Amino acid sequence: MMDSSLIDQLAEIVGQKNVLRAPEELLTYGYDATRDEGRPDCVVFPTTTEHVSAVMRLASEHTIPVCARGAASGLSGGSVPITGGISLAMTRMNHILEINTDDLFARVEPGVVVATLIDEVAKHGLLYPPDPSSMRTCTMGGAVAENAGGLRGLKYGVTKDYVIGLTAVAADGRVFHTGGVTMKNVSGYDMTKLLVGSEGTLAVITEITVKLIPAPEARRSLMAIFGDIRDAGRTVSEVIRSGLIPATLEIMDRITINAVEDAKGIGLPREADALLLFESDGDPAVVEKEAARIEEICRANGASEIRVAADDEERESIYTARRASLPSLARVKPTCILEDATVPRSKVLEMLNAVNEIAERHGLVIGTFGHAGDGNLHPTIICDERDAEEMERVERAIDEIFEAALRLGGTLSGEHGIGLAKRRYMERQFGPEGMAMMSRVKAALDPKNILNPGKIFEVTPCLTS
Amino acid sequence: MFDVLREFETDILRCLRCAECHAGCPVYQDDINESYAARGKLRLMRAVMDGEIELTEGVMERINRCLNCNACMARCPAGLDTDMLIIRARCEMRDAGIPVPENLAAVRANIAEHRNPFGLPFSERGGWAPPEALERRSDLVYFAGCAVSYSQNRMAKAALRLLDGADVEYAALGPDERCCGDPVRRMGLEREAEQLVAENREALRARGAKTVFTSCAGCTKTLKSTLGDEFEVLHVTELLVRMANEGRIAFEKAFPKKVVYVDGCDLGRHAGVYEAPRDLLARLPEVEMLEMPDNRDKAICCGGPFVAAYPELAKKFALARIETALSIGAEVIAVACPTCLINLKEGAKSLEGDRRIDIQEVATLLQRSAKPVKK
């Protein structure tokens, strides 16, 4: 427990109204979108980089854990303050500082909501591509810390592909800058890339510079329906192999399709084994050509039906199906656990089969949807957290899902981060030496282990490892 | 405490904690404090239910500080009815003898004694209505609502003139009308609300009502859900669309303005009426209709439900909505709810110069342009 005089000192730094310490407030700063929960000793809302620096100096001096937090919509426990201490809520640092239409970049504070940036740059005919499903609520800081992805990842990449510069505060309070505003920049170590996805374990990010691209002129969406998921898997492989790069290539399995139909009744074919959703964007002529080629490949691989969106309204209805996937699965049972194991794109079908076998073996319902085009699937286990016996089976199934992903040459997380949820599998992916190297980085930048302790690493990193 | 919520435990557990509810909640957005978001409130209710924390003043303040605008539910992937859960929690607080918040005590007392939130006499309730309408029986009965009856009776006059012009016969409840019960229901006083519903049911039966129409969005919500089993309940805009479609009303005077219809939460999300006001406004010659960036089921509350409980917040939220309307180039904000009208006008008071904006109720706007088509 933190001494209350320390909390008073924090209030002196950021102002009384920017510190929360009432039990009912602390309770609501203990969770994210996973089932893990902690309880901070206080919540601090910095509004400037100087605030963050002063907070970190105090935290460092007294060895107080600091867990930075955005909207806490994360899916790996990254912002859950499991060791108490300070929940550093960055949400009141929420200004867009600059949108530069000459050099095509934007500078933002970490509390800016991702969709707010996307909407603002769109007014200038520009695009900030990473679009996590939570973009209407998640913050830029959180998206950078977890290296969030999104539906457009296949063509446009993920958050790390757009962050070109950062201002950050080190564990001891020192303020430093990484990268810059240039498109090319190879001066020194790429500290920007190191911090992106570091989940608040290496520094606290207080300003983010992202590059922007011109918004695509045209787009075309289509939905292909398959009676056999194997045909859908083959279609994904062939689309990728034939050199096409749609912006979006999503898959939904039979369980997901039926859950969406139960919840929304939007006319999806219940007998279908899988759906693929494609979107091509760019120059109108290119989009036309790409969409036609995708349609051809779908037909050649046994799609039983293809629905092409003729206008924005039809496009919206195609997307409703995909967006409704998680919500609809969530309505089936009280608890819903979403994973994001990712495999090489050619292994999507094998991964889908592995998930189905695991579900069957453990008598669980697992609906799978996700970004088939980049191998990032979201097997979603629907269960009831009050049923201890079922939850044991769920844990075993999760273990096996990760095993399967790694066996297929994949990774634990495509876009949600490691946090608490996946830290115990890290050594399986990287081996002891791989973990030791990461530990050294952590220990060098945060020797007192006060920055988001307990995340990514199961064992406290130290220099002697 | 909050044992009543046990019944909804499975619902509460279904909260994915995804934070989608943050986006549409003016209370959360006000100072970005998680404990005021639906997700936070659900966590607090669960904590009280499980005995993890006491029902502190702080928890009660969070249960009270909810607009019941249902924006969270519209965005909730799991479709959680946080609005209902909040009201249940308030009911249990009342059952436990915890009084209604201080600034709502007068509203409650006025409704109990005078059957309206303002404490004004019954006799003043229908002064604006044609006397014969107050006397007669009719299939079609007008239910003005308290705010329209006592403070925004221009809304009533405009609506009834449109009907008069088309020779539509109707009765008006006038002094026989009671508060619909919504304000006390939102305070967690379910029995008091039910009593008012029963009184209104009797009054409507006595007039021979088959269809009830009202100018008030809150009353539309409440009457549809409490009396919809016996009467057809329409918001006045739904009735006017019907008349316009039948060719009984037309609009001839041009209204060459940029108009944005701002959805009220009671009429929209709660009562499901989104298109009728838009349909009518679009019939005005030369009008240019705009849309708020967040509209229909994603519309953001103007703060109206806080007029009595948190007047400063109500004003602040109203100003934010007006700023959005200005940013899209609107010259006129049209609303179909007396509370939105009152609150947005209050919020607009601080605006000066070219940032001033005209705020109008739909029927009032239409009436100026209407050309009645008598049968």
Side-chain angles (χ1 to χ4, degrees):
Chain A
M1 278 292 283
M2 273 173 76
D3 196 287
S4 73
S5 68
L6 282 175
I7 303 177
D8 293 338
Q9 287 180 57
L10 289 165
E12 274 169 38
I13 296 168
V14 295
Q16 278 303 345
K17 70 177 190 337
N18 287 321
V19 172
L20 308 180
R21 52 168 100 188
E24 58 271 4
E25 291 171 319
L26 300 181
L27 187 70
T28 63
Y29 280 81
Y31 49 74
D32 68 355
T34 61
R35 287 175 307 132
D36 288 307
E37 208 160 307
R39 190 79 59 94
D41 295 312
C42 63
V43 182
V44 175
F45 295 87
T47 55
T48 64
T49 297
E50 291 69 35
H51 282 165
V52 176
S53 171
V55 168
M56 288 315 302
R57 277 199 302 275
L58 190 73
S60 178
E61 188 185 330
H62 298 278
T63 320
I64 303 163
V66 177
C67 183
R69 178 193 190 277
S73 57
L75 288 159
S76 60
S79 64
V80 175
I82 47 165
T83 51
I86 300 167
S87 171
L88 194 64
M90 308 304 287
T91 42
R92 291 181 187 170
M93 285 181 78
N94 58 355
H95 301 96
I96 295 177
L97 304 169
E98 182 182 2
I99 294 174
N100 190 310
T101 54
D102 293 325
D103 290 318
L104 302 191
F105 67 83
R107 281 191 308 121
V108 300
E109 290 184 330
V112 169
V113 170
V114 173
T116 306
L117 177 66
I118 292 175
D119 293 345
E120 281 306 309
V121 303
K123 291 176 187 167
H124 303 276
L126 296 170
L127 179 68
Y128 172 69
D131 59 343
S133 294
S134 55
M135 67 183 196
R136 293 271 149 216
T137 177
C138 72
T139 64
M140 284 297 292
V144 170
E146 298 294 331
N147 191 6
L151 262 62
R152 294 191 278 236
L154 170 57
K155 178 172 179 178
Y156 292 105
V158 297
T159 304
K160 72 171 178 211
D161 300 310
Y162 293 88
V163 181
I164 55 173
L166 294 169
T167 297
V169 178
D172 60 7
R174 273 184 289 187
V175 178
F176 64 103
H177 306 279
T178 76
V181 298
T182 57
M183 288 302 107
K184 285 183 168 182
N185 191 338
V186 294
S187 308
Y189 293 138
D190 192 344
M191 295 289 282
T192 310
K193 286 272 196 294
L194 177 64
L195 293 186
V196 177
S198 66
E199 307 192 14
T201 61
L202 300 179
V204 178
I205 294 162
T206 59
E207 192 185 303
I208 302 155
T209 305
V210 291
K211 67 177 175 187
L212 307 169
I213 61 172
E217 246 179 88
R219 56 190 182 187
R220 174 72 67 87
S221 306
L222 67 88
M223 176 195 283
I225 296 157
F226 293 86
D228 186 333
I229 198 164
R230 285 171 297 186
D231 293 337
R234 267 191 292 275
T235 304
V236 171
S237 297
E238 194 174 329
V239 166
I240 302 296
R241 204 168 38 238
S242 64
L244 299 171
I245 309 181
T248 298
L249 199 183
E250 300 286 304
I251 193 166
M252 291 164 61
D253 73 353
R254 181 192 290 266
I255 291 173
T256 310
I257 294 167
N258 279 282
V260 170
E261 219 21 50
D262 288 343
K264 297 261 169 183
I266 50 174
L268 298 181
R270 287 182 179 275
E271 67 290 351
D273 204 28
L275 288 183
L276 291 179
L277 308 176
F278 297 88
E279 182 161 288
S280 290
D281 69 4
D283 180 85
V286 175
V287 167
E288 193 76 19
K289 212 168 129 190
E290 189 173 79
R293 182 79 186 102
I294 289 169
E295 204 177 325
E296 215 173 279
I297 294 172
C298 289
R299 287 197 198 285
N301 281 283
S304 57
E305 191 189 335
I306 290 171
R307 300 179 187 174
V308 183
D311 51 33
D312 272 358
E313 204 175 314
E314 284 185 28
R315 173 185 184 269
E316 202 45 42
S317 90
I318 285 181
Y319 269 79
T320 301
R322 167 60 180 89
R323 272 197 289 263
S325 296
L326 176 61
S328 305
L329 288 167
R331 284 174 199 224
V332 179
K333 280 186 137 192
T335 311
C336 172
I337 297 167
L338 178 73
E339 291 302 345
D340 83 319
T342 300
V343 292
R345 294 180 275 196
S346 59
K347 306 287 190 209
V348 164
L349 184 57
E350 282 175 67
M351 187 63 195
L352 286 165
N353 287 337
V355 171
N356 285 338
E357 279 165 27
I358 292 165
E360 216 166 288
R361 192 157 53 243
H362 296 287
L364 294 167
V365 182
I366 307 182
T368 300
F369 59 93
H371 321 299
D374 52 30
N376 183 190
L377 296 175
H378 293 310
T380 303
I381 309 176
I382 39 192
C383 49
D384 187 336
E385 64 185 76
R386 295 166 295 187
D387 182 342
E389 187 275 327
E390 186 183 38
M391 293 315 283
E392 271 175 38
R393 283 183 281 132
V394 169
E395 287 306 315
R396 285 201 297 276
I398 294 173
D399 269 12
E400 291 175 21
I401 288 171
F402 288 128
E403 281 297 344
L406 295 179
R407 195 178 59 242
L408 293 168
T411 179
L412 300 171
S413 175
E415 57 184 2
H416 296 167
I418 297 301
L420 294 168
K422 282 157 262 184
R423 59 180 185 172
R424 71 175 184 275
Y425 306 105
M426 281 288 279
E427 195 162 318
R428 283 190 226 172
Q429 181 169 346
F430 295 101
E433 291 307 332
M435 290 311 293
M437 289 303 144
M438 285 197 221
S439 287
R440 287 187 191 194
V441 173
K442 165 72 172 165
L445 291 180
D446 179 20
K448 291 186 172 178
N449 193 29
I450 56 171
L451 284 167
N452 210 5
K455 307 300 166 61
I456 302 178
F457 301 94
E458 203 171 19
V459 182
T460 307
C462 62
L463 277 170
T464 54
S465 63
Chain B
M1 198 63 190
F2 288 171
D3 285 336
V4 68
L5 299 177
R6 279 275 167 234
E7 187 188 332
F8 307 101
E9 188 183 354
T10 307
D11 285 321
I12 297 175
L13 283 174
R14 277 199 0 253
C15 172
L16 293 168
R17 306 209 288 205
C18 63
E20 288 294 311
C21 51
H22 286 178
C25 178
V27 179
Y28 169 77
Q29 297 293 346
D30 180 47
D31 72 344
I32 316 181
N33 182 331
E34 172 72 28
S35 63
Y36 287 98
R39 174 174 70 165
K41 288 173 182 174
L42 285 168
R43 181 68 187 86
L44 289 173
M45 288 195 271
R46 189 174 163 194
V48 174
M49 183 172 82
D50 292 343
E52 200 180 339
I53 57 169
E54 296 288 308
L55 181 61
T56 58
E57 287 289 330
V59 175
M60 287 193 276
E61 152 63 7
R62 281 154 183 83
I63 301 291
N64 291 333
R65 203 193 290 189
C66 167
L67 291 153
N68 301 107
C69 73
N70 237 6
C72 50
M73 186 177 171
R75 285 170 171 77
C76 177
L80 283 183
D81 194 348
T82 308
D83 182 67
M84 177 272 291
L85 293 168
I86 292 269
I87 290 175
R88 290 288 180 137
R90 289 174 186 165
C91 285
E92 185 151 344
M93 280 154 60
R94 299 298 91 82
D95 288 347
I98 299 164
V100 299
E102 210 178 306
N103 37 13
L104 292 177
V107 174
R108 180 195 184 178
N110 286 334
I111 291 175
E113 193 178 342
H114 304 281
R115 296 300 195 244
N116 70 74
F118 317 109
L120 293 166
F122 286 112
S123 55
E124 286 178 23
R125 193 151 188 143
W128 35 264
E132 61 279 14
L134 295 172
E135 298 299 325
R136 72 163 76 95
R137 283 172 63 88
S138 173
D139 285 355
L140 182 64
V141 177
Y142 182 57
F143 188 102
C146 300
V148 173
S149 293
Y150 291 109
S151 90
Q152 302 299 315
N153 53 46
R154 274 176 69 189
M155 288 174 63
K157 286 182 199 156
L160 298 185
R161 254 179 225 153
L162 285 164
L163 267 71
D164 290 340
D167 267 350
V168 174
E169 194 184 277
Y170 58 87
L173 281 185
D176 295 338
E177 190 181 298
R178 305 284 180 265
C179 166
C180 70
D182 185 50
V184 281
R185 196 184 67 87
R186 284 193 286 110
M187 288 179 212
L189 300 161
E190 194 57 40
R191 279 181 294 278
E192 291 173 31
E194 278 169 14
Q195 176 59 33
L196 292 161
V197 170
E199 289 172 23
N200 280 321
R201 191 186 286 275
E202 282 314 309
L204 288 165
R205 279 179 184 164
R207 295 302 190 90
K210 289 202 172 81
T211 296
V212 185
F213 70 106
T214 173
S215 293
C216 174
C219 297
T220 306
K221 165 185 81 173
T222 310
L223 299 180
K224 276 186 194 267
S225 69
T226 58
L227 296 175
D229 57 337
E230 184 171 344
F231 310 102
E232 180 193 33
V233 177
L234 297 175
H235 184 257
V236 67
T237 55
E238 293 179 289
L239 181 65
L240 292 173
V241 165
R242 206 177 269 185
M243 288 166 58
N245 287 342
E246 287 167 358
R248 305 184 71 177
I249 182 172
F251 305 100
E252 60 179 7
K253 196 172 156 206
F255 193 68
K257 299 267 187 192
K258 290 178 182 167
V259 178
V260 64
Y261 172 68
V262 173
D263 289 276
C265 312
D266 280 342
L267 191 60
R269 276 188 291 269
H270 281 290
V273 180
Y274 298 110
E275 300 312 321
R278 290 180 165 84
D279 177 328
L280 291 166
L281 291 166
R283 291 175 195 242
L284 292 173
E286 294 176 43
V287 74
E288 186 183 337
M289 292 295 291
L290 305 175
E291 285 289 350
M292 296 285 270
D294 296 296
N295 58 62
R296 295 183 171 79
D297 67 322
K298 299 294 189 305
I300 297 175
C301 182
C302 74
F306 275 1
V307 164
Y310 302 94
E312 286 311 308
L313 279 181
K315 223 184 291 180
K316 198 168 162 189
F317 298 165
L319 192 56
R321 299 297 84 75
I322 295 166
E323 297 282 4
T324 306
L326 286 167
S327 77
I328 57 165
E331 295 166 309
V332 178
I333 290 177
V335 295
C337 164
T339 313
C340 297
L341 184 68
I342 293 166
N343 192 48
L344 286 169
K345 282 193 165 171
E346 191 61 35
K349 276 185 182 162
S350 60
L351 296 173
E352 286 174 354
D354 60 0
R355 290 176 72 251
R356 277 199 208 120
I357 190 162
D358 192 13
I359 300 166
Q360 297 282 349
E361 184 264 336
V362 173
T364 319
L365 246 180
L366 294 171
Q367 199 251 322
R368 287 187 213 144
S369 167
K371 176 192 172 199
V373 187
K374 298 212 180 195
K375 261 194 175 168

